[in-house]
């Protein structure tokens, strides 16, 4: 809310400057957004009268002038061509300052002394559009009446000094979208008396009429229109508004149109009630109906745009057509014209949410709608219309017709709140005496009767004792509030099992050289295809109804596209070796949960992405194994995975606990790499965090350190290339039974000498019994069984 | 025979002086006191001696043998010392050559801020709570005293999946879920991703992170809120940090406040980060609105509570001097490694 301090002074004495006022009001709840101080940057510019103009001897485009500035006559050289002898002009003297940091100094122009500068409109920081009689490139020629003020400061004479503060008003305080409301806040904040200059309006008695000048009104939608008041003014003279009114409107950011339109805007700024004025002749049937629009009904608004409406929108209509969109904007068909003779002032109260919806839908957020949408006081509507009529009389703009049509089906509720000082103090953590609270209430216009606070009509936000507490605190001082720590039963702050595991994983990965990334949950529809995500998963993707763009249309059912994108970015930036991880969510609409109004499944996934010269499948596998280790997941199997199309079919594995798949890892499928423009091998892993948490053992138990020696045996086998190390290990483990403590691969060797498509694999086996020393024979026996089984199942050959 | 023993000793003393290696030393030992050593032979030939002489010569030989063995042992230690000395000299290295450590990675700056905040609140007895990002309007708006036609619900601000399911615009939904499922005392913070319909630029992102806090118990006051946030600001942003409460309005708290902190970059003198104001607007907070408590089945006559919330990215950016929010989500490894 742009606020002129000059206007504000009508409501409260102000003994501080704009900056300090801004600080004080910020601390009582009206936050300053910007402060504009006009005229402060103009110094030493005075009214002057041109007494002589001569051609410059050495420059055809310059003239040498003499300007009378009261106590002296100064010589000025100028290139301006719109001046003549006798003109009254603003003159910047030697040493003057102008807006934008411009300093004026004595100088010579083509050898002739110039002791200052005549100013153009824009050089004084003024808007040329506010001075239609002036030209932009020429000197500002002042009204001859200022001839009496020669030598006087131009800022004072022209009233250029203007302090304007733009306040951020919170949505609960529509009353502060007015000078009156801010004036009241100012008075209380500065501890001054609220001057209440509109008391005469409050006391005004205007009789109710059913009909005025043939006009009648009805409300067909009392759920959307709480009150509608009309007053009529005859013998209208459409004119320009007086200077004082234009200036105040401009300070508050409203352009002057004509006296009648300006009055409606002036009242809106002053009292916070938007108003509207119609030409009575444009109302067919002389009957105003406040009703819902018909489906498809159209209206051309004042800005010459055609707006389409439906039953959700409220209109002001005559007997045939809508003449205004209620609370948003008037129609072109009922606009005040220069020949308008009789007008209707409308002052009404509409349901806030409805105005907001309509304004949003038709794309018109006006000064009016932005006030109505917050919910305005129906009581204030009457004051506003009476003030408008008063202003008509002050301006001599027409002849008010006695009486008002006032349809008021839904009376404004006045809240009564018990003042529970003890509760307020407990809520705030203060010890403010009740009488001090009451003092604050009364200053704010809240009537107090015994222990009851009666909210004034303009404070519809006051409903509960908590609301009163805020009023107390605002003027007791948010800055005076103490700082205490909670005095209550001790609570224990501990991370949950999942949070601990996640933290351990993060720390391990960072220690292993990986960096954490943060990605959006959004993906493009095409990303799923680019990453070869299976249709099984695709079908769970969730679509955003109103995405920012196609790039943010889906909520991802897989983190692969996000990770691939980041790997691609890094390669493009020529980062040669990269290891990244991300613990974030995937979203799956399984069982049509969303359609049932439920939330979909969200799973936390650890995603790892890597590439680099020293990185291969086994680097990644080692990292995953350690992730499982730091999470205390000890029993799992690694199996080959050939079906997952995002991964290289020969270089992908899944990790299972029992039958439950908890992770996938592998080299990225060459197609996917190609889709992301990655010209080298890259590696990916996806680990389901919830499953890790499920299978993580809690608590560790000490196992006795072995006392008896182990027996070690090595075996080397020749097998087909396709035979997996895991398969061999499985057989060894099975046949090694309880005595086998560990089996470890220590060599793989491929050579044609071994035979076509053969490899040699060598394992080191360790046997131990916790209770005794093992005998060679029993181990020999086990080894024989192992070898027999390997020969049988895998056609393995013992290498000798 | 005495003379012979004396000569052997003399000879030994001469020879041991020349010894340079452990092998030579071993040889000498064998030569003199081995099974067939010179001294051993003397001992064996004692049979020829008279019974009176035998013990005399016997003890003399033993004496000399002990002496020889001691000297050999001494020499052995000396050789070892010399050898070690030599080895130490040859094993000299340049300690300024590069190390072989595994390079550490890094936690994302957003995570680092979240963790720091978590630690402070864990220490004050708060739990960390979490909830869905795709959430029912019931939890994001209805229960938070945000009526059906409130501007926060606009399509312009909120991503909708359906009319009833949205991407949460704040983590307050977690507060509601907690209050509905748990009896006071409640002390939680809820960090997490939130979504608002803002186009990506240097200061906006459609996804950002929030940390909200909630306390509900008997006799919780606004001064407690201020004290808690003061503690949080000092622990997370530096012991000298000051906080400033300003009145504000939120539908889910009453009274409400906005909180500024003295600029933790310049200490309040005024700089680019605080736009020369010395203060940075940090968070919104207030006393939980009685209607919100009631909605969650908590009696506002018995219990009161406070809530607060702030954006993580803003703090991370100010703290680390990051001037463009897009850097946080671009994830360039060279950027990430700096944290």
């Amino acid at each position: 809310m742009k606020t002129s301090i000059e206007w504000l002074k009508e409501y409260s004495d102000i003994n501080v400057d704009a900056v300090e006022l801004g600080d004080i009001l910020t601390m009582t709840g009206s936050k300053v957004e910007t402060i504009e101080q006009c005229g402060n940057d103009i110094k030493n510019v005075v009214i002057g009268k041109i007494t002589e103009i001569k051609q410059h001897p050495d420059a055809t485009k310059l003239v040498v002038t003499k300007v009378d500035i009261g106590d002296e006559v100064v010589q000025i050289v100028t290139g301006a061509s719109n001046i003549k002898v006798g003109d009254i002009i603003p003159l910047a003297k030697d040493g003057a300052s102008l807006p934008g940091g411009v300093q004026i100094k004595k100088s010579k122009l083509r050898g002739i002394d110039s002791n200052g500068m005549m100013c153009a409109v824009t050089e004084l920081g003024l808007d040329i559009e506010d001075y239609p009689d002036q030209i932009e490139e020429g000197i500002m020629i002042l009204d001859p009446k200022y001839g009496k003020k020669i030598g006087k400061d131009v800022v004072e004479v022209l009233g250029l000094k203007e302090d304007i503060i733009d306040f951020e008003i919170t949505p609960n305080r529509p009353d502060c979208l007015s000078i009156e409301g801010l004036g009241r806040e100012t008075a209380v904040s500065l501890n001054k008396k609220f001057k209440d200059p509109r008391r005469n309006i409050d006391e005004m008695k205007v009789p109710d009429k059913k009909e005025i000048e043939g006009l009648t009104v009805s409300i067909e939608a009392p759920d959307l229109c709480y009150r509608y008041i009309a007053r009529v003014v005859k013998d209208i003279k459409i004119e320009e508004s007086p200077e004082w009114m234009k200036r105040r409107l401009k300070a508050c950011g409203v352009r002057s149109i004509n006296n009648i339109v300006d009055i409606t805007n002036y009242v809106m700024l002053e009292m916070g009630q938007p108003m509207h004025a119609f030409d009575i002749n444009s109302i067919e049937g002389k009957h105003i109906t406040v009703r819902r629009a018909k489906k498809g009904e159209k209206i051309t608004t004042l800005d010459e745009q055609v707006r389409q409406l439906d039953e959700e929108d409220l209109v002001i209509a005559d007997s045939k057509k809508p003449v205004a969109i209620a609370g948003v904007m008037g129609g072109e068909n009922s606009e005040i014209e220069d020949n308008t003779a009789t007008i209707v002032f409308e002052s009404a109260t509409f349901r806030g949410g409805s105005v907001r919806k309509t304004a949003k839908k038709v794309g018109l957020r006006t000064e009016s709608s932005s006030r109505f949408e917050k919910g305005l006081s129906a009581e204030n509507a009457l004051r506003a219309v009476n003030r408008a009529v008063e202003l008509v009389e002050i301006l001599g703009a027409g002849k008010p017709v006695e009486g008002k049509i006032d349809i008021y089906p839904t009376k404004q509720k006045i809240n009564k709140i018990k003042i529970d000082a003890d509760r307020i103090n407990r809520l705030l953590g203060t010890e403010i005496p009740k009488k001090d609270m009451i003092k604050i209430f009364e200053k704010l216009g809240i009537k107090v009767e015994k222990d009851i606070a009666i909210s004034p009509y303009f404070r519809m936000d006051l409903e509960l004792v908590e609301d009163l507490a805020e009023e107390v605190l605002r003027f007791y001082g948010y800055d005076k509030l103490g700082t205490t720590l909670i005095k209550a039963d001790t609570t224990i702050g501990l991370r949950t099992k999942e949070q601990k595991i996640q933290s351990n994983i993060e720390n391990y990965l960072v220690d292993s050289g990986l960096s954490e990334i943060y990605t959006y949950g959004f993906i493009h529809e095409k990303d799923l295809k680019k990453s070869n995500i299976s249709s099984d998963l695709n079908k769970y993707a969730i679509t955003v109804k109103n995405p920012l763009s196609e790039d943010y249309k889906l909520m991802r059912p897989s983190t692969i596209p996000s990770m691939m994108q980041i790997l691609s970015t890094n390669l493009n930036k020529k980062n040669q070796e990269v290891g990244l991880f991300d613990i974030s969510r995937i979203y799956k609409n399984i069982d049509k949960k969303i359609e049932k109004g439920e939330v979909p499944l969200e799973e936390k996934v650890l995603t790892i992405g890597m590439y680099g010269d020293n990185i291969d499948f086994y680097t990644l596998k080692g990292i995953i194994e350690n992730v499982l280790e730091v999470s205390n997941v000890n029993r799992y199997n690694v199996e080959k995975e050939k079906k997952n199309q995002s991964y290289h079919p020969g270089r992908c594995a899944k990790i299972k606990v029992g039958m439950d798949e908890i992770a996938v890892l592998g080299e990225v499928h060459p197609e996917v790499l190609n889709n992301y423009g990655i010209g080298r091998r890259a590696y990916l892993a996806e680990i389901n965090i919830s499953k890790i948490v499920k299978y993580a053992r809690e608590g560790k138990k000490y196992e006795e350190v072995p006392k008896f020696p182990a027996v070690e045996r090595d075996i080397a086998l020749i097998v087909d290339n396709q035979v997996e190390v895991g398969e061999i290990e499985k057989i060894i483990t099975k046949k090694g039974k309880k005595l086998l403590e560990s089996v470890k691969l220590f060599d793989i060797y491929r050579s044609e000498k071994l035979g076509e498509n053969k490899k040699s694999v060598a394992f080191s086996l360790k046997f131990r019994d916790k209770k005794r020393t093992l005998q060679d024979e029993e181990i020999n026996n086990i080894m024989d069984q192992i070898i027999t089984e390997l020969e049988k199942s895998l056609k393995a050959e013992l290498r000798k | 025979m005495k003379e012979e023993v004396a000569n052997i000793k003399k000879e030994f003393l001469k020879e041991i002086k020349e010894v340079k290696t452990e092998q030579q030393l071993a040889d000498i030992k064998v030569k003199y006191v081995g099974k067939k050593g010179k001294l051993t032979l003397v001992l064996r030939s004692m049979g020829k001696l008279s019974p009176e002489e035998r013990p005399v010569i016997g003890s003399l030989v033993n004496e000399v043998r002990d002496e020889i063995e001691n000297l050999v042992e001494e020499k052995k230690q000396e050789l070892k010392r010399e050898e070690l000395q030599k080895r130490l000299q040859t094993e000299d290295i340049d300690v300024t050559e590069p190390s072989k450590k595994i390079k550490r990675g890094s936690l994302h700056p957003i995570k680092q801020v979240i963790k720091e905040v978590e630690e402070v609140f864990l220490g004050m007895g708060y739990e960390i709570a979490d909830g869905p990002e795709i959430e029912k309007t019931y939890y994001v708006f209805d229960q938070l005293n945000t009526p059906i036609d409130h501007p926060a619900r606009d399509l312009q601000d909120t991503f909708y999946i359906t009319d009833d399911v949205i991407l949460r615009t704040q983590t307050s939904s977690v507060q509601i879920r907690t209050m509905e499922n748990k009896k006071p005392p409640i002390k939680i913070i809820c960090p997490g991703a939130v979504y608002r319909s803002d186009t990506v630029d240097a200061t906006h992102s459609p996804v950002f992170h929030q940390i909200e806090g909630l306390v509900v118990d008997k006799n919780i006051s606004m001064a407690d809120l201020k004290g808690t946030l003061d503690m949080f600001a000092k622990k997370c942003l530096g012991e000298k940090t000051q906080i400033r409460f300003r009145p504000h309005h939120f539908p889910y708290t009453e009274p409400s406040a906005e909180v500024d902190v003295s600029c933790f970059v310049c200490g309040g003198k005024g700089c680019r980060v605080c736009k020369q104001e010395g203060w940075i607007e940090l968070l919104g907070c207030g006393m939980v609105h009685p209607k919100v408590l009631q909605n969650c089945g908590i009696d506002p006559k018995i219990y009161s509570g406070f809530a607060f919330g702030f954006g993580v990215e803003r703090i991370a950016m100010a703290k680390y001097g990051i001037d463009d929010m897009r850097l946080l989500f671009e994830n360039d490894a060279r950027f990430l490694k700096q944290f």
Side-chain angles (χ1 to χ4, degrees), chain A residues 84-139:
Chain A
K84 59 182 191 300
V85 172
D87 278 349
I88 310 295
I89 49 96
L91 184 93
K93 298 202 286 190
D94 176 33
S97 332
L98 293 176
V102 178
Q103 300 289 325
I104 303 301
K105 292 229 159 54
K106 266 188 201 175
S107 63
K108 275 188 188 205
L109 286 171
R110 290 282 181 102
I112 306 277
D113 282 339
S114 182
N115 297 321
M117 185 182 91
M118 292 187 230
C119 301
V121 173
T122 49
E123 282 164 339
L124 290 173
L126 305 173
D127 189 345
I128 189 74
E129 289 184 28
D130 294 327
Y131 298 88
D133 302 337
Q134 305 288 340
I135 54 170
E136 197 166 357
E137 321 75 60
I139 302 301

Side-chain angles (χ1 to χ4, degrees), chain A residues 671-696:
Chain A
E671 272 173 21
V672 176
L673 288 174
N674 190 42
N675 291 342
Y676 283 92
I678 298 177
R680 62 182 302 168
R681 293 177 195 272
Y683 300 87
L684 269 181
E686 302 157 86
I687 298 107
N688 186 314
I689 294 287
S690 318
K691 287 186 180 173
I692 296 271
V693 173
K694 184 172 160 194
Y695 296 117

Side-chain angles (χ1 to χ4, degrees), chain A residues 218-236:
Chain A
S218 65
I219 297 177
E220 276 180 20
D223 55 330
L224 301 183
C225 178
Y226 303 150
R227 187 177 198 177
Y228 193 100
I229 312 168
R231 287 199 65 179
V232 177
V233 181
K234 287 202 295 195
D235 302 335
I236 290 293

Side-chain angles (χ1 to χ4, degrees), chain A residues 517-520 522-524 526-528 530-531 551-552 556 558-573 575 578 580 582 607 609 611 668 672-673 675-678 682 684, chain B residues 329-333:
Chain A
I517 61 172
Y518 263 64
T519 56
Y520 289 170
F522 299 120
I523 52 169
H524 194 290
K526 284 183 186 156
D527 286 334
L528 293 169
K530 270 173 88 176
S531 297
D551 285 341
Y552 306 110
R556 63 185 179 202
S558 159
T559 52
I560 292 180
S562 314
M563 182 56 88
M564 288 310 298
Q565 186 55 53
I566 302 299
L567 288 178
S568 165
T569 303
N570 274 284
L571 192 65
N572 286 336
K573 289 183 181 286
N575 292 329
V578 164
L580 304 171
D582 175 24
T607 316
Y611 66 78
V668 180
V672 176
L673 288 174
N675 291 342
Y676 283 92
I678 298 177
L684 269 181
Chain B
F329 297 102
E330 184 185 37
N331 296 304
D332 184 333

Side-chain angles (χ1 to χ4, degrees), chain A residues 407-465:
Chain A
I407 317 282
Y408 193 2
T410 316
K411 286 267 180 309
Q412 182 185 334
K413 210 177 127 209
I414 297 297
N415 292 314
K416 295 185 176 178
I417 312 157
K418 186 159 186 291
I419 303 169
D420 184 342
D422 188 44
R423 189 172 159 76
I424 292 173
N425 275 324
R426 258 187 296 134
L427 189 68
L428 298 177
T430 50
E431 286 169 0
I432 302 166
K434 190 171 180 179
K435 61 175 195 333
D436 291 1
M437 295 184 185
I438 290 173
K439 239 183 243 167
I440 290 170
F441 298 150
E442 285 174 341
K443 277 189 201 168
L444 285 166
I446 303 168
K447 235 195 245 165
V448 176
E449 283 174 7
K450 285 188 183 163
D451 269 354
I452 305 293
I454 302 167
S455 69
Y457 67 88
F458 52 86
R459 289 300 303 275
M460 297 169 77
D461 60 308
L462 301 177
E463 267 183 79
L464 306 167
V465 69

